[in-house]
Amino acid sequence: MEDVARLAGVSTATVSRTLRGLPNVSDETRDRVLHAAASLSYVVSPIASRLASGRTHTVGVIVPYASRWFFGQIVAGAESVLRAHSLDLLLYNIGDLPSRQRFFDALPLRRRVDAVLTVAMQFTDAETTALLSLGVPIVAVGHDVPGAGCVRIDDVAAAGSAVQHLLALGHRRIGMISTYNDQSMFLPVAHARHRAYVEILSSAGVAVDDDLIMSVPHGMDGGEQAMRRLLTLPDPPTAVFAESDELAFGALSALRRTGRHVSVIGFDDHELSALLDLTTVRQRVFEQGVLAAGMLRRAMSSSAWTPEELLMPTTLVLRASTWPAAVRTPGPG
């Protein structure tokens, strides 16, 4: 910086103000400083800048399963905004209990981030207190966290629309493929969608048959396993609501391999859903990450920020994987 200042004929303070884009530097002086910096191949040290400002310019992101499509889309959406504003992303993947315990025992985010983004995770009171003790803005995607901003859909209403669609087609033996038994407190979304299934069937006067509810590990293999088990029942379902499109993909695979016909509806509108002609509930996943990052930026730039809640819409997308109960061969609807 001293070399740049000497070449440009200004003070180091003026160089600093210019390179940080601060006001009160004339155009002529700014051009001279920038030309001098370019000729010397000088760039501001991000570490030195962060030490001087007391800010890390980093956002911590907490997810349970970074490799899964939904979480990857959220992170990609958030990162697209953060990168555009020269903010780094520090990712913590804590989907299993040992990782979660280590994370909250050590709380490695402390003094390393200016804000925190959490994705579809429910926290205990002690864990919430630990996160709030960081003293930085927090935004949650997919679930409310006390004291944090929130971007989410109404999972109960959205999942309910899927079950209502099957009822409207005349189905009464409606199965569900879920992950809720295995998720405990980690993925509240699974519990919300299971709750919607039970509530909508009950409100329609349809008895909930526990034999029709399959809880399996997440993913296509789990979906295929669940559908095969449903097909072995003495009175199998005529339709199935899958908690996610990835579970639905596995269910469709099982039907293709067995030659059976069961209406299937998923949830998310995964990028492969249109290719497989899957009826589903669409949520704008990437956009949720974008909006959450924007909310964090507003929080980081204002000491008066108060937590916001943004409820995103969902849409029922009709394709060829669902059809009226009286029709035993696939058709649009």
Side-chain angles (χ1 to χ4, degrees):
M1 187 177 292
E2 290 177 352
D3 291 339
V4 173
R6 187 161 40 250
L7 183 59
V10 298
S11 67
T12 54
T14 298
V15 173
S16 177
R17 292 184 65 81
T18 300
L19 296 181
R20 285 188 291 155
L22 298 178
N24 300 324
V25 178
S26 69
D27 291 342
E28 187 272 332
T29 299
R30 189 179 305 278
D31 290 343
R32 199 162 69 246
V33 169
L34 293 176
H35 183 269
S39 67
L40 294 172
S41 300
Y42 175 79
V43 294
V44 177
S45 165
I47 296 175
S49 177
R50 291 170 186 180
L51 287 172
S53 67
R55 303 190 67 177
T56 67
H57 301 286
T58 301
V59 172
V61 179
I62 306 172
V63 299
Y65 306 107
S67 62
R68 294 185 184 175
W69 177 83
F70 174 85
F71 301 103
Q73 287 291 298
I74 295 289
V75 172
E79 198 268 341
S80 69
V81 174
L82 300 177
R83 182 181 64 246
H85 292 89
S86 301
L87 295 170
D88 294 331
L89 183 151
L90 189 58
L91 182 66
Y92 293 92
N93 189 39
I94 59 170
D96 60 273
L97 188 56
S99 296
R100 188 183 185 115
Q101 290 175 334
R102 285 194 299 271
F103 176 84
F104 281 102
D105 286 345
L107 208 60
L109 291 170
R110 195 177 301 280
R111 293 187 295 275
R112 298 182 68 183
V113 300
D114 294 328
V116 174
L117 176 67
T118 74
V119 185
M121 294 194 68
Q122 183 174 334
F123 301 105
T124 65
D125 290 343
E127 290 169 344
T128 300
T129 298
L131 290 175
L132 295 176
S133 74
L134 296 170
V136 300
I138 301 172
V139 169
V141 174
H143 187 68
D144 294 327
V145 174
C150 182
V151 178
R152 65 180 183 88
I153 63 171
D154 185 334
D155 276 287
V156 174
S161 71
V163 181
Q164 286 172 332
H165 170 63
L166 298 177
L167 287 169
L169 291 173
H171 296 282
R172 292 300 179 267
R173 291 288 290 173
I174 300 174
M176 180 177 185
I177 301 177
S178 177
T179 61
Y180 79 101
N181 275 345
D182 298 327
Q183 300 304 329
S184 183
M185 56 178 288
F186 295 109
L187 280 178
V189 166
H191 294 271
R193 295 178 191 175
H194 174 260
R195 173 186 153 200
Y197 167 83
V198 172
E199 289 181 353
I200 295 299
L201 288 184
S202 298
S203 66
V206 177
V208 176
D209 184 346
D210 289 339
D211 288 342
L212 293 179
I213 304 173
M214 296 291 164
S215 185
V216 292
H218 173 84
M220 288 181 280
D221 288 344
E224 180 167 1
Q225 170 193 341
M227 181 57 84
R228 287 184 179 275
R229 283 160 51 190
L230 287 169
L231 294 175
T232 65
L233 294 174
D235 187 10
T238 61
V240 168
F241 165 49
E243 174 192 288
S244 70
D245 284 353
E246 288 157 291
L247 288 170
F249 297 159
L252 292 176
S253 176
L255 293 171
R256 282 194 301 272
R257 293 179 182 184
T258 58
R260 304 283 288 275
H261 300 304
V262 175
S263 287
V264 176
I265 186 169
F267 197 113
D268 286 332
D269 201 24
H270 187 288
E271 55 200 17
L272 295 179
S273 296
L275 180 65
L276 296 176
D277 233 351
L278 175 68
T279 297
T280 188
V281 176
R282 174 183 295 154
Q283 61 168 321
R284 302 200 298 269
V285 183
F286 184 90
E287 186 177 346
Q288 290 179 58
V290 169
L291 293 172
M295 190 179 291
L296 278 176
R297 286 203 64 250
R298 290 194 295 277
M300 294 164 67
S301 62
S302 172
S303 59
W305 181 77
T306 56
E308 313 165 43
E309 181 178 38
L310 181 58
L311 193 64
M312 299 286 290
T314 58
T315 307
L316 183 64
V317 181
L318 301 181
R319 298 192 179 107
S321 68
T322 54
W323 53 86
V327 179
R328 302 303 297 174
T329 54

